[in-house]
Amino acid sequence: MPTVRNSLRIATLVALASVPLIAAPTVLAGGRGEGGTRGSTGQKAEVGGDGTVSVTVGGVVFDRSKNGGGDSVGALTSSTSWSPPPCWYAPKYTPEQLQKYLEPIWEAGSTGYEWDADQREKYNADDEKKGFNKDKSGKGYWWGSYVDKSYPPGWDSCDEDYFWVDLGDPPPADIENAVTPEVLAGLAYAEIRVPGTEVTLAPAEATKVNLPTWAWLDGAEFKPVSVTASVPEIGVEATATAEPVSLRIEPGTPDAEVYPASGVCEIKDGRIGEPYAKGKANDTPPCGVKYLRSSGDGTFPLRATVTWESHWTGSDGAGGDLPDGTFGATQDVVVQEIQAVNR
């Protein structure tokens, strides 16, 4: 019955889109995913006494308290074609909640008598005590699908009907994207935000032709960031961490030289580049640029891009690498000719 299930899912999405949801005020409501845990179709945010912010989105709770902050934060651009799961399975209903959800659908008759009858048999709906696994209340959950709300390719590929998983048991091995630490790691990676990459330059106001311009990033801002994704009901979580490793400088004109020659400044002692100090005007900076002509009445668009290495660790002790990512910004640089003084 895949066709029926897909039709029902699409109809449900359309219905949800046209009916306003009544939910508690949310924090960081821009999260991904459809629905929440325990059958909720909204998001739930909780702020702990230590300022930790957790947001329930699509059966998954995201702790973003160690994420990047500020006005210029942004998502990483993956260095590969890898992408996070477009849909996934997670605990969705208790036995009583699934019964409350499905019976009105069957009573409406919109899915056809034969399909409704098969569903009633599947969930043993006519048994008041054991139907929908009510005899297992508190010992497991009915799992269901959730989707990335941006609806990327493959968002509708999670077409398995609801399935039961006892607490402590792994989800069925043949169901792709049922939440495991590795799946949660991909979802956490998609939530990582890193700070902007406007570099500090010296000279600051305007640089001069043929004189080195020093460039560096504040080490306090460029430190590892992380997001933890978890499903508390089943005690599974994973943390995705991104660490800055290098800065690439593109001067915005071919008439320039970069330092080092590769244009890639490695991170050292928690800092990228070195702040300019008095007396070093003619020294070669460890990270910087030298413009060979002026920008005239305009500016050169200097592009600064930081590369972040990413990895994950899971509650089961597993872990591994995630794709490296980049995040950059462009800033205008004024380059002036050195003025000679005639006496």
Side-chain angles (χ1 to χ4, degrees):
M1 293 287 178
T3 303
V4 174
R5 289 200 298 268
N6 284 336
S7 299
L8 181 59
R9 178 176 291 105
I10 293 171
T12 302
L13 288 172
V14 172
L16 288 173
S18 62
V19 179
L21 297 176
I22 301 175
T26 60
V27 178
L28 297 177
R32 307 158 75 90
E34 173 202 324
T37 55
R38 303 184 188 276
S40 168
T41 54
Q43 300 178 103
K44 178 180 67 178
E46 296 178 355
V47 182
D50 60 354
T52 298
V53 179
S54 297
V55 183
T56 301
V57 185
V60 177
V61 175
F62 293 101
D63 181 350
R64 300 182 179 91
S65 62
K66 296 180 182 179
N67 214 359
D71 295 334
S72 58
V73 295
L76 292 172
T77 299
S78 173
S79 60
T80 71
S81 59
W82 177 92
S83 60
C87 63
W88 59 93
Y89 298 94
K92 197 160 191 175
Y93 295 111
T94 64
E96 294 77 12
Q97 289 169 338
L98 184 60
Q99 180 180 15
K100 185 177 180 180
Y101 172 69
L102 287 179
E103 286 193 334
I105 296 176
W106 299 337
E107 292 171 2
S110 58
T111 49
Y113 173 80
E114 182 179 351
W115 188 81
D116 292 346
D118 288 341
Q119 290 283 291
R120 285 184 176 278
E121 182 177 352
K122 173 183 176 179
Y123 297 108
N124 195 20
D126 295 329
D127 190 322
E128 293 185 4
K129 292 184 178 181
K130 296 184 178 180
F132 300 93
N133 282 1
K134 284 186 288 187
D135 56 327
K136 290 188 174 184
S137 289
K139 300 178 181 179
Y141 290 95
W142 288 103
W143 288 41
S145 63
Y146 297 86
V147 301
D148 182 331
K149 277 191 173 179
S150 65
Y151 302 109
W155 70 267
D156 56 350
S157 61
C158 295
D159 58 1
E160 294 288 340
D161 208 347
Y162 300 110
F163 55 92
W164 179 265
V165 179
D166 286 331
L167 289 177
D169 286 351
D174 60 341
I175 296 184
E176 188 177 0
N177 288 348
V179 287
T180 60
E182 187 170 5
V183 169
L184 290 175
L187 297 176
Y189 177 87
E191 296 297 319
I192 284 180
R193 299 294 180 266
V194 296
T197 53
E198 183 171 354
V199 296
T200 303
L201 301 175
E205 300 300 326
T207 187
K208 305 297 183 182
V209 171
N210 291 322
L211 286 181
T213 298
W214 292 58
W216 67 93
L217 290 169
D218 184 354
E221 293 182 7
F222 283 82
K223 56 186 179 182
V225 299
S226 65
V227 172
T228 297
S230 64
V231 182
E233 288 87 347
I234 57 175
V236 177
E237 69 174 36
T239 298
T241 301
E243 301 183 48
V245 292
S246 63
L247 167 71
R248 175 177 291 278
I249 291 181
E250 300 169 84
T253 172
D255 298 316
E257 297 177 358
V258 290
Y259 307 105
S262 64
V264 178
C265 308
E266 302 293 338
I267 189 169
K268 185 178 181 181
D269 298 328
R271 183 176 62 196
I272 298 179
E274 179 182 329
Y276 172 77
K278 187 175 181 180
K280 292 186 175 181
N282 294 314
D283 292 357
T284 299
C287 183
V289 60
K290 179 170 72 176
Y291 287 96
L292 306 180
R293 68 177 178 88
S294 78
S295 57
D297 295 331
T299 59
F300 290 130
L302 182 145
R303 178 77 178 174
T305 303
V306 173
T307 294
W308 299 74
E309 286 185 350
S310 301
H311 62 273
W312 68 276
T313 55
S315 53
D316 60 352
D321 293 331
L322 289 164
D324 290 351
T326 59
F327 185 62
T330 300
Q331 57 197 89
D332 295 329
V333 178
V334 176
V335 182
Q336 299 174 339
E337 295 282 359
I338 297 176
Q339 300 297 318
V341 178
N342 297 320
R343 296 183 181 275

